[in-house]
Each structure stands twice: as C-alpha cells, then as structure tokens.
Amino acid sequence: MKTGRTNEPNPDLWPKAVARLPTLAFRRAPLLTAVCWFALGEVIARNHAPMVMLFLAMSLLCALTLASLRWSLRIAIVPLAAVWMALGLFCAEVQPAPPTQHALKTYADGLSRQVRGRVVRVRELVPQQGNSDQDKETGWWAEKEENEEAAAIGALSVDLQVDAVEEVTPDVAWMAPVTGGARMNVLPDKPAVQNAAPTGSLAPAVRPLPTLKCGDLVQAPMRMKVAEYYRDPAAWQYSDYLLAQGIGAHASVRVSKVSILSQASSELAAAKSDYAAQWQCKIFTAQNWASGRVLGYVHSKANRGLPEILRLNQDDAGMLNAMLFGDRAGLNKTQRVGFERTGSFHLFVVSGMHVGLLAGLVFWLARRLKLSDLLATLLTIVLTFGYALLTGFGAPVQRALFMTTVFLLARLLSRDRNVLNALGAAAMAVLVLSPNALFEASFQMTFLAIVAIGGIAIPLGERSFLPYARAAEHLWDKWLDSGLPPRVAQFRLMLRMGSEAIANLLGQWSKRLLPLTVRWFLWALELSLIGVVAELVMVLPMAVYFHRATMFAVPTNMLSVPLVAVLAPTAVVTFCASLVSPWFALLPGAMTSLLLHGVKGVIGRVSAFHAADLRVPAPAWWVALLAVVAWAFCCWAVRRSRNWAWAAVVTLPLVALIVLWPEHSIVSPGMMEVTAIDVGQGDSIFIVAPDGATMLIDAGGPVGGVTEAAEATSRFDVGEEVVSPYLWSRRFRRLDVVALSHAHSDHMGGMPAILRNFRPRELWVSIDPNSDAYRSLLAEAKDLGVTVRHFYAGTQLAWGGTQITMLAPEADYANPGEPVNNDSLVMRMQYGDSSVLLVGDVEAPSEREMLSHKRIAPVTLLKVGHHGSRTSTTQEFLDAAAPKDAVVSVGKGNTFGHPRYEVIERISEARTKLYRTDEFGLTTFLLGRDGKIRELVDASNP
C-alpha cells in the first residue's frame, strides 16, 4: 500500500559527520542579545534624549502588556531588554569623565615658567627635510626659531607627568602644585659665536642631549602651548589625540636649561608617583629598544653587504617595527597611502587584529600539540599578554587583549561553544569597563569583523561547500561514508574514482593529488568568502571613519595575507637572531627582505590604479541603522534555511550599495557661498556658486618647520584631516575647480590630498615659481587627469552663474626664484550686486599695482591678505575695496602676531565687520543677488 511518501534518508543517521547550523535563537546567544540592548542604553545616555528614553520605556511596557496576553513564557525577554538598557545607561552615566587638564592649560599663556615633573616617555625625533616653500616672515616668539631648528637637526621628545608649575606675580614667584601631562622637545644648544676667537681655533662643543630614564624628576623653563584645535565639522583634532595620551600642553627647551634633580629628589618623587605611568614608561622603553635592535641590524655590515633585493633598508625597518612592535614613527607617508588605498594597512601595523591573529595561532598550535583546552587557553592568554606589552600596550591593543581573554574564557566555560555568545561576553566586558569604547572605530570594526566572519561567512560556507572540503579529508577511509549525507558521500566516491584514474595514468604517487587539490581549492574559496563578506560589512565603518571604499581590498588581501603569514614569523626570527649577532640574522633577514619587498610590490602595483581608492562621504544616520538591521537579519537568515541564506547573500551587497550610494550635497540654492575653513595659520576658502558649482581656493598646510609632535609630522595632512572631512560632511564627492593662490606651504600643503580625494576638473594657478613641491603638485594633477590653467590680470570668465575677473599678477610678472607672497592670484567674483575679493597673500607692492590700474572697486566681502600681516591691507587698498565684511584666516596664538593690531584698527575704522577663524572657527558667508550678506558662525565645532 502506497502512503505517498518518498523513501528519503533519515538525516539523524549522520549527526556527527556534518556541521549542522543551529538557528539563531535567544537561548543560544543570550549575551550577544544582552550586549546589543546594553549598547543601546549607552547610546541613549550619550545623546541625552529624555523624551526618547520615556518613549522607549512606554513602548517596552506596552509590548510587555501585549505579550502577556498571549505568550506568557516569552514575557521575560521584554523586561530583560529594559534591564540591560538601563544597565548600559547607568554605566555610561557613572563612568568618570576624561581628564581635561584645564588646570595645566591655564599656564599655557605665553609666559616662560619653571615646570617640574617626572619622565614617563622618551623618544628621539629624527631630522626633517627643510622646506623652501614656507613663508619667510619672522615670528615674534622665540619658539618659532626653536621649532624650525628642531625640525632641521632633530630633538628629544620627553613626556612629563607634571607635579608643579611656577606661579609668576609681579612681586614673587613660587612652585604651585599642578597635575597634568606636558610634552617637552629638548633641543641642542646653539654654538656660541666668538667674534674675537683666533683663526683656526676650535668652536665650543655642543652639549649633547641628556640621557633620561623613567621616573627621573626634571625641571626646565617652558613657554607652554596648547595644540591647535581646528573648529571645523568632522576635523581630526590633534589636541584630542594628545589628551588621550595624557598630554595637555607642549613646549621646546634648550638642553642647557633642563635640570635633572638630585637622586634623593627622584626617589621622593618615585615614592609619590603613579606606578601605572611608570610601568607605561618601561613598556615604551622596551618598545623603543626593540625598534632600535631592528634598526641596528639594518645598519649592520652584514645586512649592507647583501644584494638590494635581499637587503633591508630604512623604510623596511619602519614597516617591520610597525608590524612587530607597533612603532609607527618610521612609516613614511608614501607607504601609508599605498596601504590605505588598498585596504591592507591593518596588515602592517599592530592593531587589535594582530592580537587576535596571534591568539588564534597560539591556540591552534597548542591544540595541535594535544594540550588540553585549559592549558591551551592559559598559554594563549599569557603569550598574547606579553606580546601586547611589547607593542606599547595602547588602548586598542588593551581592548583587543581583554576581548580575546574573555572570548577564550567564555569558550572554555561554555558547553555550547557559540561564537556569537562568546563575542557578546567579550563585548559586554569591554563596555562595562569602558562605555566610551562603543563609539570608537577600533571597537566597532573588531566587533563587526567577528560578526561578519563567525556570524555570516562561516554559516554560509556550512550551507554550501565546507562539508565537501571536510569530506575530501581521509578519502580512503570508506567507513566514514556511512555517516555522511548522500550527496557528500557521493562526492567522496567520485573523488576516489578520479584519484584512481589519475593514479593509473601517472602512477601511485599521484593518487592523493586530486583530493589535495580539491581541499586547497575549497579552503581558498572559504578564505575568499570570508574576505568578501568582511569587506561588505566593513563598507559602513570604512565610509564613516575613513571615507574610503577600497575596491581592490579582497584581491589585495588574498595576495598579501599568505605572504604576511610567512613574513611575520620570519621577521620575528630575524629579530631574535639579531640579538645575538647581525651575522646570525643574515639568512632570516634575507628571507624577510625578499618577502617584504614582494608584499610592497603587490601593494604598490595595486595602489597605482586610481580606481583602487574611492573616497566617499559618510552615509546618513538612517542608512547606518538600516545596515545594522540588515546584518542582524543576515545572521538569522543563514541559520534558518538554505532559501533564507540566499536572501542573506542578496542582502549583503545591496546594503553595501546603499551605503555607498551618492546623496545630494548640502548647498544653499540661489546664493553664492564663501566659507573660510579653519586651517590654523594658513588659508582655505570654499566657494559654492549659485548654480551649485564648487571651487576650493588653497588647502592650508604646515607653516615652515613647526612640528607639534614626532608622531604627527609624518602622517598629519591638513588637506586630508581637516579640509576633506569638512567637504565630506557636506556630502561633496567631487570639486569643479581647485585654485592655488601661490606656492607657499601654508596654502599648498593640503592640496595634493584634495586632488586625490575629490578629483577636480580644473586646477587654477598663476605663475610657476622654482619649487619642487609645486612641480610635484602639477605632476599629480597631470597624473589624475586634472586640467591645469594659468591666469593673469585682466582675464575674465563666467563661472557657475558668477563673473570672475583676475586682478593679479600682471601678465609680464615672473618669479624665477622661490615662491613669494606677491605671486598670489587675486580674483574678484561678482554675483548680481554682491561681490567678493580674494587676495591670497598679496603685499603692498601688488596692492599698489592693482590700484594703479584702477582694478579695485567696492566689494561686499574681502578676504584679508596675508593673514592680517602689516605688509598687506594698506589704507589705500582698504579704502578702495570698502568691504561690508572681512574675514581673516589665522591660527590661534600664532608666532607671527597675526592679525596685526594696526590692520585690525584700519578695518575697524572703516566700519567693516571682521571675522577671524581663530575666534569664530569655520565661517560661512551667504551672498544674495541683491547685495545682501548673511554670516553663519555657528557651523563650526563647539
């Protein structure tokens, strides 16, 4: 008798042979669910939205009421969510506020004061190349000369834990107790000039830099300054970066002024010291020692005698120190840009990922050595902790170590071994101790990477090809076939038949060739799947925090990861061997060099493609929320069924596309917008025409050789870190025109980054001075396909609904030497009855030339020339321009004294409203066709 059922095999007959995917249920990953509600509570506390809190509480109570009517056993989930949210809110509210070091900053007032403190970190600052394209105006503070000398000859950077600062009054001075952190750049003394010295006499010896140790109590006269704060939306703040390291102020001091107090005083200070800071100092010392050993091998005779392909150079040492010990000081800018463009920067600098990879490798090796779970877990934690100390024990590494430890312990104690539940436990532990970590890129990216791999990619592989990869192992053990599903068992049978056929043709040695090839192919496919899913999930944080869409990240990482997997242990062997002798490290050093140059070659070729790096604005908040919900759906769908897994496969690229989809830029239609971007002591003017066309005039940059810290000089770029984030915050992806007034570094320094990030259609310049940096800029523009146009006085053109007239320089003007201020391109933009005069850094001679040709007429808005210098904005020029408003771009507390008092007086007497970027930050002017002007000074950061 037929029952209508087909004779299907019972899947319960093979429960152990295939990894069965459990559904994503609350009972299987309760801690992951808990940490999500906990994080939501912290988000609410961060935004201080009481109405939202009330609404959520009401919603939860309503849901509890409705649920109780039908699902009595599931009621607990709703109030439990409320409990976790409340706990998250509580932890966020009770966490201690980060120290602002306000007491120490009050002494950064320009006065020279005695400062006493203990050494907590010592680093050497390498000399920098001189910059001929800098403004040559003399500063009015002594530190300007000292900073330039520090950049030229190098210095010693010393971080102090301050305990006292001199309080100066007209009558008396005393050491007032003050706590905080100060960074002191110690400079060599100047050789004394001996006018009466006989010919051939030796110059006096320069006093060497001091040898300082952790805990030394030192005292020196300092003119402390606070790091510059850029008041622009989304700008990266170096002051916040220093504050996170415990540094509130910085100064430069001559070596002869530094006093190391007596040993008794040092011991007394150590007794009162912060032992955590002293241990941190010892960790930094160990890190510097390790980096120095690598550099010692690079400069050794053994290494220098090798062929170039097998020889490590200075740049290679910088990469190895960053990869092994987290010391990024030796990474040059070209290397950083290449790695960032290809999405492979994480492979070559110590981060949370390195800690996780090391822990995974140690744990895998321990299990291969047949160690128990307990011993393998303890060994992994101990070795990972030691490595974290050697890397400097930075905040991301600390969090990664903590998460790794909690993850391993949760795995050890849990019978279920659920990856997402262990991730929830690790994330919960981090957020309880440091609620602010939720809003940091490193935590979010680490969390999302694990979700992408363990929550989506691996389950997708289990739904598709991973059972076949495991089936290709132990192929000749036929008893295993009985415990496999029919399709997998048939796959093993076909592999055996194919292997026997190949063996009949090539011999018995080739019998294992086919299954080995299949296994390698399927494991490579797994690596590809993990890479693709991870990159699709990483699209959101990469767009939000780094404004990048790395198009070639997957193939680049697939090529680089295997090389790095061999390179890292080889580099460790090289380091260990160099501790004995450079000759012992010769063979592993040559192998390290060969692998490293191979990786650099791959990265260099891929990064050369313009499409390798697409810069994008951050998406709107609702897009980010949609992406998070979609990823949660994918985690659920891949565990539900094969059909739902296909829905997840479609959802992932769709969400990535939505994240990267262009949005409308934020503009004021029908108005001419002129925005003075706060770039410190430099210039950057952004203009949006009435029809939406965009122009950026100058992009700021460094002023001479001034450097605030060794770590920031090699990678801080005002065009990348300040100007570009502002443009992205307004959702601009491309610019129509970029104009360079003249080739001084404080106007041109950020320009290369702007060209790469926004690919303008045209670059407007005036004359071509003798400047290597300027020639490099033109070469960059040519490489990017940007049209370069030269303009001179008298040129007129229509642009974006406005009329532009060039007023300077003259057509016959030439400057075969270094750039000067009078090279500046001056333009007047007219929109109806409104006009703006943009003068760059022109000085009195150029102003007189324009006045003599009667080119200056009254304007609505004037960009004050040369940051308000006394050599510009003469009375005659100001009278002819007669602006309603004026704006000057100037750095707060700059060493030039800009804007000069006499210039401010002239503008005030002309009844012109003056706006300064050092006081107002980013300032926007909206000019209407009717000649009216509206100022917006509240668009900058608070």
Side-chain angles (χ1 to χ4, degrees), residues 747-816:
H747 295 247
M748 185 178 61
M751 195 70 76
I754 297 298
L755 295 184
R756 291 190 298 266
N757 294 341
F758 295 93
R759 309 292 170 90
R761 294 172 176 82
E762 295 181 351
L763 171 62
W764 293 3
V765 296
S766 58
I767 68 165
D768 296 330
N770 182 21
S771 163
D772 291 337
Y774 175 74
R775 284 187 287 270
S776 297
L777 180 69
L778 296 185
E780 180 98 26
K782 181 180 179 181
D783 183 54
L784 294 172
V786 180
T787 302
V788 180
R789 300 181 63 182
H790 290 74
F791 290 97
Y792 302 94
T795 304
Q796 295 186 4
L797 71 157
W799 177 80
T802 68
Q803 187 68 25
I804 299 180
T805 304
M806 304 299 175
L807 307 182
E810 298 297 324
D812 58 353
Y813 174 83
N815 176 21

Side-chain angles (χ1 to χ4, degrees), residues 9-142:
N10 186 356
D12 292 334
L13 296 177
W14 51 85
K16 298 181 180 179
V18 179
R20 303 182 66 183
L21 288 174
T23 59
L24 185 60
F26 171 77
R27 65 179 180 274
R28 300 193 60 83
L31 288 177
L32 180 66
T33 309
V35 77
C36 292
W37 290 113
F38 189 91
L40 180 58
E42 292 187 348
V43 171
I44 294 173
R46 172 111 171 175
N47 291 278
H48 299 289
M51 293 302 296
V52 175
M53 294 164 55
L54 179 60
F55 174 79
L56 288 176
M58 296 272 299
S59 301
L60 288 173
L61 288 176
C62 292
L64 177 60
T65 303
L66 294 175
S68 63
L69 296 177
R70 186 171 182 180
W71 298 297
S72 59
L73 296 179
R74 302 181 181 180
I75 292 177
I77 296 178
V78 179
L80 191 59
V83 169
W84 284 114
M85 289 176 60
L87 286 175
L89 195 154
F90 174 77
C91 289
E93 288 293 335
V94 301
Q95 68 172 327
T100 60
Q101 303 205 16
H102 178 73
L104 180 66
K105 290 180 180 179
T106 57
Y107 291 97
D109 54 3
L111 297 179
S112 179
R113 303 172 182 271
Q114 291 288 336
V115 179
R116 188 180 68 206
R118 284 173 288 102
V119 175
V120 295
R121 188 173 188 179
V122 181
R123 289 165 297 172
E124 291 186 7
L125 307 185
V126 297
Q128 300 174 349
Q129 294 182 350
N131 182 10
S132 63
D133 302 327
Q134 59 180 280
D135 197 330
K136 299 301 192 297
E137 182 174 356
T138 305
W140 62 286
W141 279 8

Side-chain angles (χ1 to χ4, degrees), residues 546-570:
F546 306 103
H547 300 285
R548 294 185 182 275
T550 49
M551 310 306 292
F552 297 151
V554 173
T556 302
N557 282 295
M558 288 188 64
L559 292 173
S560 301
V561 166
L563 293 176
V564 173
V566 181
L567 170 63
T570 307

Side-chain angles (χ1 to χ4, degrees), residues 295-316:
L295 287 171
Y297 171 75
V298 168
H299 297 306
S300 67
K301 184 177 180 180
N303 176 67
R304 288 186 284 109
L306 292 172
E308 184 176 359
I309 189 66
L310 301 177
R311 183 172 64 242
L312 292 172
N313 55 39
Q314 188 81 15
D315 290 341
D316 297 336

Side-chain angles (χ1 to χ4, degrees), residues 520-540:
W520 278 82
F521 172 76
L522 292 178
W523 293 129
L525 189 61
E526 181 188 20
L527 180 62
S528 302
L529 176 63
I530 290 174
V532 170
V533 173
E535 290 300 329
L536 290 175
V537 173
M538 287 294 111
V539 163
L540 179 61

Side-chain angles (χ1 to χ4, degrees), residues 599-635:
V599 172
K600 289 169 63 177
V602 171
I603 300 299
R605 291 185 179 275
V606 175
S607 65
F609 294 99
H610 296 316
D613 185 29
L614 176 65
R615 306 309 299 270
V616 296
W621 67 268
W622 64 267
V623 175
L625 181 60
L626 176 64
V628 173
V629 173
W631 296 331
F633 163 77
C634 291
C635 288

Side-chain angles (χ1 to χ4, degrees), residues 277 322 365 393 438 444 484 524 641 682 684 722 738 803:
L365 289 175
F393 213 55
L438 177 64
Q444 294 178 14
L484 296 175
S641 67
S684 185
V722 178
V738 169
Q803 187 68 25

